[in-house]
Amino acid sequence: PFHNLFLKKNFPPRLAPEVRVLKQFTKNLGLYGSDAKTCGFSGYLCELLIMHYGSFRNLIKGASKWEPGKVFIDIKGYHKNPEKIKSRFKGQPLIVIDPVDRKRNVAAVLSPENFVKFVFCCKQFLEKPSMRYFFRAKERRDYKRIRKMMEERGTKFIGILFRKPNIINDILWPQMRRAVKRIRDVLEDEEFHVMGSVIWCDKEFEEDGTCIIILEMEVWRLPQVRKIIGPPIFIAERSEEFVKKYKKGRVWVESDRWVSEVKRKHVNAEGLLSEFLRDSIHNLQEKGIPSYIADSIGGGFDILGEREIFARMRRKSELLESMREYLERNMMSRSF
């Protein structure tokens, strides 16, 4: 209500068409929406940006020069020392002070990725304007083409399937992202390297949906043994500790350093994932899985191989679209 009242009193009606153009621009780029899934531009943010710059074209010119964390817009002039207030919004690439709340950043939900995408597309648009920035033909969701792209990468895709928690999307998507980050950290700690990830849910607004986390693995299988490089032989105390710790395995010296060889507990990523996730809800939360996701996974989950992922992609067009977006994302694309 306060936003509406402010706009009613202060927004020039002549700028309404400029706002509509900006909204269409961001919608076409997949950047419109302040929900936790999109992490983009809200309608209110679009209106404030047009108020500040005076037109869509002026905004595009200005935004083409934006740098993350250095953009500070305060329409009401609340803060005389911008550098002081910027510390409050650390990690937020765009700062637009709310005219009705001087302590709030209207652009707080905008993700760094979407900020960079918007700036880059503004630069491209200035270089070569096109109506395709506003109305672009839908991309082909060709199952065979996308499956072929996945297979040609030479990586391995692993899925984690579980029941969708009965919560609103603004809670679900942040928790899904936090769960992915924790799972990736667990894999990386054991030297299973993750190229990227896709998160997807069906029946987002219903109770009986499912969630899938898809991980693209650069390394998914490792040798039975692992080599550990220890301290230099000249540091007596650390040398003694190293030898004592690894004396049950092979221990020797290479050049001037102690070296040990130990047997790995997990030689494939699927086994590690199964062991990590097969635990009580309480323990999953203790291990860093967000509460609602832990509750669902604690009730049961499945590890999906590529065959199962392909089968679901064939049946679920939204999942197929998510995989296409993941595989074809490229900020340097000149497709416009």
Side-chain angles (χ1 to χ4, degrees), residues 138-253:
K138 287 188 176 181
E139 303 288 347
R140 288 190 307 130
R141 291 191 292 201
D142 184 336
Y143 166 77
K144 290 183 179 179
R145 181 176 67 89
I146 295 170
R147 174 170 178 166
K148 184 179 179 183
M149 289 174 64
M150 294 170 67
E151 291 173 337
E152 288 178 343
R153 290 171 70 83
T155 57
K156 184 179 178 67
F157 290 86
I158 300 173
I160 305 168
L161 173 73
F162 53 94
R163 174 183 54 83
K164 184 183 78 67
N166 186 23
I167 51 177
I168 62 173
N169 283 348
D170 280 355
I171 297 176
L172 173 63
W173 289 96
Q175 288 218 354
M176 286 280 282
R177 292 188 186 105
R178 285 166 50 202
V180 169
K181 184 180 184 305
R182 181 66 187 116
I183 290 169
R184 288 185 65 156
D185 288 345
V186 169
L187 289 165
E188 293 285 351
D189 285 346
E190 295 292 326
E191 299 180 348
F192 296 105
H193 301 309
V194 183
M195 284 279 288
S197 60
V198 174
I199 54 177
W200 176 82
C201 296
D202 69 352
K203 301 182 181 179
E204 289 187 48
F205 302 100
E206 301 176 34
E207 295 184 14
D208 60 340
T210 55
C211 293
I212 299 178
I213 294 171
I214 298 178
L215 303 166
E216 183 182 15
M217 305 301 301
E218 182 180 8
V219 176
W220 59 92
R221 187 167 185 82
L222 294 165
Q224 292 283 350
V225 292
R226 176 184 179 188
K227 185 177 180 179
I228 299 173
I229 306 298
I233 60 173
F234 305 103
I235 306 176
E237 185 177 344
R238 289 181 58 194
S239 294
E240 186 177 343
E241 291 173 356
F242 183 84
V243 172
K244 184 177 180 180
K245 181 176 181 179
Y246 295 107
K247 64 182 180 180
K248 291 184 179 180
R250 293 177 61 206
V251 180
W252 69 96
V253 174

Side-chain angles (χ1 to χ4, degrees), residues 5-242:
L5 184 61
F6 171 80
L7 292 171
K8 187 175 181 180
K9 289 183 177 180
N10 298 278
F11 189 82
R14 62 180 174 79
L15 294 182
E18 304 289 332
V19 172
R20 287 195 288 271
V21 173
L22 175 58
K23 288 181 178 180
Q24 185 60 35
F25 184 78
T26 54
K27 283 178 183 178
N28 194 56
L29 296 174
L31 303 178
Y32 185 72
S34 59
D35 56 284
K37 180 181 179 181
T38 306
C39 297
F41 291 74
S42 68
Y44 183 49
L45 176 58
C46 290
E47 289 157 340
L48 294 181
L49 289 172
I50 292 298
M51 279 186 69
H52 178 71
Y53 283 95
S55 71
F56 171 76
R57 186 161 185 82
N58 286 344
L59 168 60
I60 295 298
K61 287 180 179 178
S64 68
K65 299 175 183 176
W66 283 355
E67 295 180 40
K70 295 184 178 181
V71 189
F72 184 85
I73 297 172
D74 185 1
I75 292 175
K76 295 286 283 185
Y78 287 130
H79 305 285
K80 306 306 178 186
N81 185 356
E83 294 304 319
K84 185 176 181 181
I85 193 66
K86 277 183 181 180
S87 61
R88 181 191 295 270
F89 308 114
K90 188 176 181 181
Q92 298 175 18
L94 174 63
I95 302 171
V96 179
I97 300 299
D98 192 339
V100 302
D101 184 352
R102 66 180 65 203
K103 296 181 180 180
R104 177 175 179 264
N105 177 16
V106 179
V109 74
L110 181 66
S111 69
E113 179 185 355
N114 285 340
F115 173 88
V116 171
K117 184 177 180 180
F118 181 75
V119 173
F120 188 79
C121 287
C122 287
K123 291 178 181 178
Q124 282 192 316
F125 180 78
L126 288 175
E127 291 175 9
K128 190 178 180 180
S130 168
M131 286 300 291
R132 295 191 66 189
Y133 282 92
F134 303 95
F135 303 99
R136 193 169 70 168
K138 287 188 176 181
E139 303 288 347
R140 288 190 307 130
R141 291 191 292 201
D142 184 336
Y143 166 77
K144 290 183 179 179
R145 181 176 67 89
I146 295 170
R147 174 170 178 166
K148 184 179 179 183
M149 289 174 64
M150 294 170 67
E151 291 173 337
E152 288 178 343
R153 290 171 70 83
T155 57
K156 184 179 178 67
F157 290 86
I158 300 173
I160 305 168
L161 173 73
F162 53 94
R163 174 183 54 83
K164 184 183 78 67
N166 186 23
I167 51 177
I168 62 173
N169 283 348
D170 280 355
I171 297 176
L172 173 63
W173 289 96
Q175 288 218 354
M176 286 280 282
R177 292 188 186 105
R178 285 166 50 202
V180 169
K181 184 180 184 305
R182 181 66 187 116
I183 290 169
R184 288 185 65 156
D185 288 345
V186 169
L187 289 165
E188 293 285 351
D189 285 346
E190 295 292 326
E191 299 180 348
F192 296 105
H193 301 309
V194 183
M195 284 279 288
S197 60
V198 174
I199 54 177
W200 176 82
C201 296
D202 69 352
K203 301 182 181 179
E204 289 187 48
F205 302 100
E206 301 176 34
E207 295 184 14
D208 60 340
T210 55
C211 293
I212 299 178
I213 294 171
I214 298 178
L215 303 166
E216 183 182 15
M217 305 301 301
E218 182 180 8
V219 176
W220 59 92
R221 187 167 185 82
L222 294 165
Q224 292 283 350
V225 292
R226 176 184 179 188
K227 185 177 180 179
I228 299 173
I229 306 298
I233 60 173
F234 305 103
I235 306 176
E237 185 177 344
R238 289 181 58 194
S239 294
E240 186 177 343
E241 291 173 356
F242 183 84

Side-chain angles (χ1 to χ4, degrees), residues 274-333:
S274 292
E275 181 176 294
F276 177 74
L277 296 174
R278 190 169 287 113
D279 211 335
S280 68
I281 295 170
H282 173 76
N283 287 346
L284 285 170
Q285 292 178 4
E286 288 290 309
K287 291 192 288 190
I289 300 297
S291 58
Y292 292 106
I293 305 300
D295 184 63
S296 289
I297 291 176
F301 67 94
D302 290 313
I303 300 295
L304 306 180
E306 289 184 338
R307 183 176 296 180
E308 291 88 355
I309 293 173
F310 291 148
R312 288 182 177 273
M313 284 168 48
R314 185 186 285 275
R315 297 196 307 269
K316 303 285 186 178
S317 60
E318 296 87 356
L319 176 58
L320 184 64
E321 174 64 11
S322 295
M323 289 305 303
R324 184 198 67 76
E325 290 178 354
Y326 169 76
L327 294 169
E328 296 184 350
R329 62 182 179 179
N330 179 9
M331 209 75 78
M332 301 299 111
S333 172

